[in-house]
Amino acid sequence: METIVQVAQLLLALSILVGIHEGGHMLTAKMFGMKVEKFFIGFPPTLFSFKKGETEYGLGAIPLGGFVKISGMIDESMDKEQMAQPPQPWEFRSKPAWQRLIVMLGGIIVNVIAGVIAFIILTYNLGETYLPAEYTKQDGVIAGEIAQEVGFETGDKILKVNGEDYDRVSDIWSGETLLASNAYWTVERNGKVFDLPVPDGFINKLNDEEFEAKFIFPRYEFAISELPEGSMLNLQKGDRIKRVGDYNVKYYDEFQKVVGQYAGQEVPLLIDRDGVEFEDVYKVQTDSTIGFFPGSLIEPARDSYTIGEAIPRGTSKAFSAVILNAKALGKMFSGDVNPRSLSGPIGIVNMFPKTWDWNQFWYTTGFISMILAFMNLLPIPALDGGHVMFLLYEMISGNAPSDKFLEGAQKVGMVILLGLMIFVFGNDILKLFGI
């Protein structure tokens, strides 16, 4: 059921994003008097269609994209018969280069607008909730297995990232941090300060679904959160354990370490209950537990924004997604980022929550919209960016590439895209099997 919910969210998001993207092309084409023959969401075979005016509108059975067929344009339809006829005034090829450029950018522009609007509205409505950096600067971190592989130890205090102060715990592993050149953390351990370099390719660890649990978490003070039903322990919700045997404890990881030494034995605990301290003896089970559920005393912070503040903040967050993906793509070509990190539809499904959450849905949809805009702008024939590249050449040089050249470039671009599609689908399938 969870997978069905995720797939439904993906299909809805793609339908919305493909619809507005292709709608951007269609509206700008019609604005300049170009004939739009088809507007489809999804690829053939056709599920249903209807014609209104000169345009056929339809829904395809393969929900992985869409297309607009503009008369006189060399595109994936490869309509050589039409292109062999003399140009007509309503055709794409008959219009000035600047108008054709706007048409090709139309889909990208509306995807950017949609993504920015989504981030602005979410920023205004929800604000931002985060763990303040003071926890990892002052109390230190619990180092998981991934952190230990890098060189962190439990108790380390992370003072800076890449030589700069930071505000949020998540900044420690953010894309901005890990994609920086010669990235490093400044760490304090037992009173000594040193720089711990981010290993090459470490950003690939982010693909681990349990990355945050395996990396670091702020050390936290704790209190009794809950007791099992029928518990006879002299403990109450909110009690804080200050000492175990002869050892003072402040953080839960300290408590676990000390209690483990008394497995199967009785041990005196010093309890703080609403500011009043008392001591009692408790039996430690063989699994090193006493019989209560701990609760973290860490309190997340929340920033709220007025609409005036949300506009620049949301816009910045939207474009940050594009910038980070551009950096990641560059690192991929340099070998620092594993191409296996690329995901297709199966991988994108996991970006959506397993239960229907409209806020998370719109966040993910806005993010995908920005990435689609970026990917479509890449100068690959068959993508909008390829058409833009040739149009800019025409506008600068004054000479348009020949139809034969454009047809050949379109074929090459389609082969590249097909190869990329096979690669990302293969990635998704291999990840499903843990390969």
Side-chain angles (χ1 to χ4, degrees), residues 151-189:
F152 282 110
E153 295 180 6
T154 294
D156 286 350
K157 298 177 181 179
I158 302 177
L159 306 180
K160 296 181 179 180
V161 292
N162 295 332
E164 302 289 337
D165 195 15
Y166 66 104
D167 298 320
R168 307 180 180 196
V169 171
S170 58
D171 292 337
I172 295 170
W173 61 83
S174 70
E176 291 92 337
T177 296
L178 301 183
L179 286 171
S181 299
N182 302 315
Y184 64 95
W185 300 283
T186 301
V187 177
E188 179 185 332
R189 179 182 299 163

Side-chain angles (χ1 to χ4, degrees), residues 179 201 203-204 207 324-343 374-375 420 423-424 427 431:
L179 286 171
I203 194 170
N204 296 313
N207 293 320
L324 286 176
N325 274 270
K327 287 183 178 180
L329 188 62
K331 293 275 187 179
M332 197 173 295
F333 284 110
S334 67
D336 294 328
V337 174
N338 192 334
R340 288 289 307 279
S341 62
L342 288 173
S343 293
F374 167 70
M375 296 301 292
L420 181 60
F423 179 76
V424 296
N427 269 350
K431 290 174 185 175

Side-chain angles (χ1 to χ4, degrees), residues 85-244:
Q85 302 298 319
Q88 301 298 318
W90 61 81
E91 291 186 336
F92 178 85
R93 56 180 167 164
S94 300
K95 302 298 182 178
W98 66 270
Q99 292 185 4
R100 286 178 278 141
L101 180 64
I102 292 175
V103 171
M104 295 318 305
L105 290 173
I108 295 171
I109 291 171
V110 294
N111 273 139
V112 169
I113 292 173
V116 169
I117 289 175
F119 275 97
I120 289 174
I121 292 175
L122 289 171
T123 301
Y124 174 70
N125 285 341
L126 304 178
E128 295 175 344
T129 302
Y130 59 93
L131 293 180
E134 283 69 22
Y135 288 115
T136 45
K137 292 177 182 177
Q138 298 173 8
D139 296 327
V141 303
I142 298 171
E145 59 185 87
I146 292 178
Q148 292 174 31
E149 291 172 4
V150 173
F152 282 110
E153 295 180 6
T154 294
D156 286 350
K157 298 177 181 179
I158 302 177
L159 306 180
K160 296 181 179 180
V161 292
N162 295 332
E164 302 289 337
D165 195 15
Y166 66 104
D167 298 320
R168 307 180 180 196
V169 171
S170 58
D171 292 337
I172 295 170
W173 61 83
S174 70
E176 291 92 337
T177 296
L178 301 183
L179 286 171
S181 299
N182 302 315
Y184 64 95
W185 300 283
T186 301
V187 177
E188 179 185 332
R189 179 182 299 163
N190 300 323
K192 295 182 179 180
V193 177
F194 61 95
D195 291 337
L196 186 63
V198 177
D200 292 339
F202 181 75
I203 194 170
N204 296 313
K205 298 283 188 180
L206 291 176
N207 293 320
D208 190 325
E209 291 183 3
E210 299 178 353
F211 171 81
E212 291 188 24
K214 293 180 180 178
F215 189 43
I216 63 168
F217 192 82
R219 294 183 94 183
Y220 57 91
E221 299 181 43
F222 69 102
I224 308 301
S225 174
E226 187 179 347
L227 293 166
E229 186 176 350
S231 173
M232 301 300 291
L233 294 176
N234 182 24
L235 292 172
Q236 295 180 10
K237 182 177 180 179
D239 286 353
R240 300 182 63 179
I241 299 175
K242 311 290 286 189
R243 189 171 64 240
V244 178

Side-chain angles (χ1 to χ4, degrees), residues 22 81 88 93 173 181 184 261-262 283 316 320-321 352:
E22 301 302 338
E81 181 178 343
Q88 301 298 318
R93 56 180 167 164
W173 61 83
S181 299
Y184 64 95
Q261 300 175 20
Y262 295 92
K283 177 68 179 291
S316 174
S320 290
F352 290 93

Side-chain angles (χ1 to χ4, degrees), residues 232-294:
M232 301 300 291
L233 294 176
N234 182 24
L235 292 172
Q236 295 180 10
K237 182 177 180 179
D239 286 353
R240 300 182 63 179
I241 299 175
K242 311 290 286 189
R243 189 171 64 240
V244 178
D246 296 328
Y247 299 92
N248 292 327
V249 294
K250 181 179 181 181
Y251 305 109
Y252 186 63
D253 64 281
E254 291 179 326
F255 169 79
Q256 287 181 301
K257 184 177 180 180
V258 175
V259 165
Q261 300 175 20
Y262 295 92
Q265 306 175 40
E266 291 187 338
V267 62
L269 303 182
L270 179 65
I271 310 297
D272 182 327
R273 179 175 296 167
D274 297 327
V276 178
E277 294 184 348
F278 66 92
E279 191 173 272
D280 203 350
V281 176
Y282 297 85
K283 177 68 179 291
V284 180
Q285 306 302 318
T286 55
D287 61 357
S288 300
T289 63
I290 291 177
F292 65 86
F293 298 100

Side-chain angles (χ1 to χ4, degrees), residues 316-390:
S316 174
K317 289 164 67 175
F319 280 99
S320 290
V322 176
I323 293 170
L324 286 176
N325 274 270
K327 287 183 178 180
L329 188 62
K331 293 275 187 179
M332 197 173 295
F333 284 110
S334 67
D336 294 328
V337 174
N338 192 334
R340 288 289 307 279
S341 62
L342 288 173
S343 293
I346 300 174
I348 296 174
V349 163
N350 291 323
M351 295 174 62
F352 290 93
K354 295 180 179 180
T355 57
W356 201 287
D357 182 327
W358 281 110
N359 289 323
Q360 186 61 40
F361 169 81
W362 286 115
Y363 173 85
T364 305
T365 301
F367 175 80
I368 295 174
S369 188
M370 297 300 295
I371 302 309
L372 283 177
F374 167 70
M375 296 301 292
N376 265 291
L377 196 55
L378 293 176
I380 300 175
L383 289 179
D384 296 342
H387 292 284
V388 168
M389 175 177 63
F390 294 134

